[in-house]
Amino acid sequence: MFCPECGSTDKEMVNDVCIDCFLKDFQMINLPKRIEVQICSHCNSKLEEGKWSEEFIPEEEIIYRALERNIELADEVENEIINLEIEQMKGTIAQCYVEITGLVHDTQIEETDECEVKILKTVCPTCSKVQSGYYETVIQFRADSREIKKEEYAKADEIVERTLIKQSKSDKLAYCPQIAKLKEGYDYYIGSFKSGHKVADALKEEFGGVIKESPRLISEDKSSGKGLYRVWISVRIPEFEIKDFIKFEDKIMQVKSISKNSVVGTDIETNKKHNIAMKNMEDIELVKKASDIEVATIISKTPQFIQILDPIDYQTLDLNMSKEYDVLNTGQEVKFIRINNNIYLLI
C-alpha cells in the first residue's frame, strides 16, 4: 500500500495514510481557548458541573482543576505525561500553558497548547443565606417556673458559641445571626437544622432539662414543590438547681448533680443517693431552695437526742439522734433545712 498524501510505500499505515502524514495533523489534546470558572468571593468554593463544592480550595488549585477537567485526550495516546503551568495572572484571567508528551502508535511526540482561565467572582447559595441572616432553627432557652440567672445566660452563650465554632468545620451554616433576649428566655437563631440540634444537645448536656421540637411550614420550594420548614427547639431547664431540695415519689432529696439524662439526689432522711431520669422532670417538685438553708449551734448531745438552738427565736429544738450525727460536737455550727414543719440536719 502507498500513502495517497506523500506516496510512501514502506511506512506503517494509519487510517489509510502513512504514520508520518497521520502524525503531521494529529492533535493529542483538545482544549478550549477560554475556560470560565465561578468562584464564591466569600468562601472560595467553586461551581462545578452545576454543583457548588463545599470545600475550601486555593485559587491556583481551582485553575489547575479547571484545565484538567477541560482537556480531552485522543484515544490513540498512551503513556501520556501532562504538565500544566500558570504563566501569569492578569486580574482575574490566568494565562495557562499546557505541555503533553505521549506515545501514538509507538511514536513519542510532544505537543503544547495555551488557554485562558477566567475567574468569575460571585456568591454561592450558602454564603448568600449567611449574608441575608438565613436560619433554619430557633433554640428557645427557657427555665421551668423560674427566671434564668445572669450566669446561666452567660454559660449558655458560651456553649452556643463553642458548639458553632466546632460545627463550622463541617457546616457553613453553623452560625447564629441573631439572639432575641426575651423576658422568658433567650432565642438563639441557628443557620442549619444539623447545628441547631447540636446546640440544643449541648445546652441539655450542661443544664439538664427536656427538649421538645416544633417544626413549622414557612413556604414551598417552587422548583421541587417540597415544603420548606423551620424548627423551633425548646430547651427547658429544671426549676431546681444543685443544692436545692426536691420531692420525688415521697422522698425528699437534696440535689447533688444535674446531667443531660438524670438528676442525682441524696435523701435527707436516710442519706442514700437516688438517680432520677430527666424524662420524669415534670414529676419532680421543688420544695426548698438552697438559699433557705439555715445555720444553728449544737447546744447538747445525748444517746437519744441532739439539741440545736433555733436562730429565729432562740428556742431549743430536739432532734432524734442518728449515726450520721456522731461526728458532730457540742458548740459546733451545723446547717439545717425546715420542710413541712420538720427540721433536717445537713451533714
Side-chain angles (χ1 to χ4, degrees):
M1 294 181 65
F2 72 97
C3 176
E5 293 190 16
C6 69
S8 174
T9 60
D10 58 351
K11 295 179 182 178
E12 177 188 352
M13 301 295 288
V14 180
N15 294 343
D16 298 326
V17 296
C18 73
I19 184 66
D20 291 342
C21 291
F22 173 79
L23 293 177
K24 183 174 62 176
D25 297 321
F26 181 76
Q27 282 189 301
M28 288 195 288
I29 60 171
N30 181 28
L31 181 65
K33 292 302 178 184
R34 184 183 178 96
I35 301 170
E36 293 185 346
V37 181
Q38 292 190 54
I39 298 179
C40 178
S41 57
H42 295 275
C43 69
N44 222 45
S45 62
K46 71 179 188 306
L47 182 64
E48 194 172 58
E49 296 179 352
K51 294 183 180 180
W52 284 93
S53 68
E54 292 296 323
E55 60 179 327
F56 176 87
I57 304 172
E59 194 169 279
E60 186 177 275
E61 179 64 22
I62 289 173
I63 293 170
Y64 283 129
R65 289 191 184 187
L67 288 169
E68 290 173 353
R69 193 172 62 254
N70 283 274
I71 290 175
E72 293 182 9
L73 193 65
D75 294 338
E76 293 89 345
V77 181
E78 297 178 338
N79 301 332
E80 70 277 1
I81 298 174
I82 300 175
N83 292 316
L84 307 176
E85 189 176 322
I86 300 173
E87 292 187 304
Q88 63 176 327
M89 287 291 299
K90 293 182 178 180
T92 59
I93 298 176
Q95 301 288 346
C96 302
Y97 175 81
V98 180
E99 180 183 74
I100 178 172
T101 58
L103 290 177
V104 179
H105 293 285
D106 296 325
T107 302
Q108 182 164 313
I109 60 174
E110 184 177 302
E111 187 177 308
T112 61
D113 206 344
E114 292 182 347
C115 176
E116 285 185 354
V117 178
K118 168 74 172 176
I119 302 297
L120 301 175
K121 294 289 187 178
T122 184
V123 180
C124 72
T126 302
C127 288
S128 178
K129 288 179 179 180
V130 172
Q131 287 183 306
S132 67
Y134 172 87
Y135 63 94
E136 294 178 353
T137 312
V138 180
I139 308 297
Q140 297 178 309
F141 184 59
R142 304 287 188 267
D144 191 18
S145 302
R146 68 174 176 89
E147 290 187 359
I148 298 175
K149 297 179 178 179
K150 288 183 179 179
E151 54 267 31
E152 289 176 318
Y153 280 130
K155 186 65 177 177
D157 287 349
E158 178 190 326
I159 290 169
V160 172
E161 181 180 8
R162 184 175 67 241
T163 304
L164 291 178
I165 289 173
K166 183 178 180 181
Q167 283 295 113
S168 65
K169 296 175 182 178
S170 59
D171 181 4
K172 288 167 67 175
L173 288 176
Y175 76 114
C176 181
Q178 180 186 352
I179 302 175
K181 299 181 179 181
L182 310 175
K183 183 179 179 181
E184 59 271 24
Y186 283 8
D187 284 355
Y188 297 96
Y189 291 71
I190 309 298
S192 71
F193 294 125
K194 179 182 176 182
S195 292
H197 283 99
K198 290 290 185 181
V199 168
D201 286 341
L203 289 171
K204 188 174 187 290
E205 185 76 43
E206 174 67 26
F207 296 101
V210 294
I211 291 178
K212 292 184 179 179
E213 292 189 22
S214 176
R216 303 177 192 176
L217 179 66
I218 57 169
S219 64
E220 187 177 276
D221 188 327
K222 294 180 180 179
S223 60
S224 65
K226 294 182 179 179
L228 296 177
Y229 289 85
R230 283 194 177 125
V231 176
W232 272 253
I233 303 178
S234 168
V235 180
R236 187 162 56 89
I237 66 177
E239 178 183 12
F240 52 84
E241 302 169 79
I242 292 175
K243 295 185 179 180
D244 286 348
F245 298 85
I246 59 174
K247 184 177 181 181
F248 181 73
E249 293 182 346
D250 297 325
K251 296 181 180 67
I252 297 178
M253 292 170 272
Q254 187 175 26
V255 178
K256 296 299 181 182
S257 67
I258 301 173
S259 67
K260 179 179 180 179
N261 297 313
S262 66
V263 179
V264 176
T266 300
D267 190 313
I268 59 176
E269 289 192 69
T270 65
N271 210 36
K272 291 182 179 179
K273 284 188 176 181
H274 297 275
N275 232 308
I276 308 170
M278 189 57 73
K279 65 182 180 180
N280 296 316
M281 191 178 88
E282 293 183 357
D283 298 320
I284 300 173
E285 177 189 353
L286 173 68
V287 291
K288 286 283 183 175
K289 297 291 292 180
S291 56
D292 294 320
I293 294 175
E294 301 177 64
V295 177
T297 302
I298 299 172
I299 56 177
S300 69
K301 281 179 64 177
T302 70
Q304 291 80 31
F305 301 100
I306 185 169
Q307 198 173 62
I308 63 173
L309 188 66
D310 192 322
I312 296 178
D313 57 14
Y314 300 105
Q315 292 186 4
T316 57
L317 302 173
D318 293 327
L319 307 175
N320 291 327
M321 193 62 181
S322 69
K323 289 183 179 180
E324 287 78 15
Y325 302 159
D326 288 344
V327 296
L328 302 176
N329 299 308
T330 301
Q332 181 180 342
E333 287 190 338
V334 64
K335 294 179 180 179
F336 73 95
I337 190 74
R338 303 174 199 258
I339 299 176
N340 298 329
N341 297 320
N342 293 317
I343 291 179
Y344 302 93
L345 296 188
L346 305 174
I347 307 301

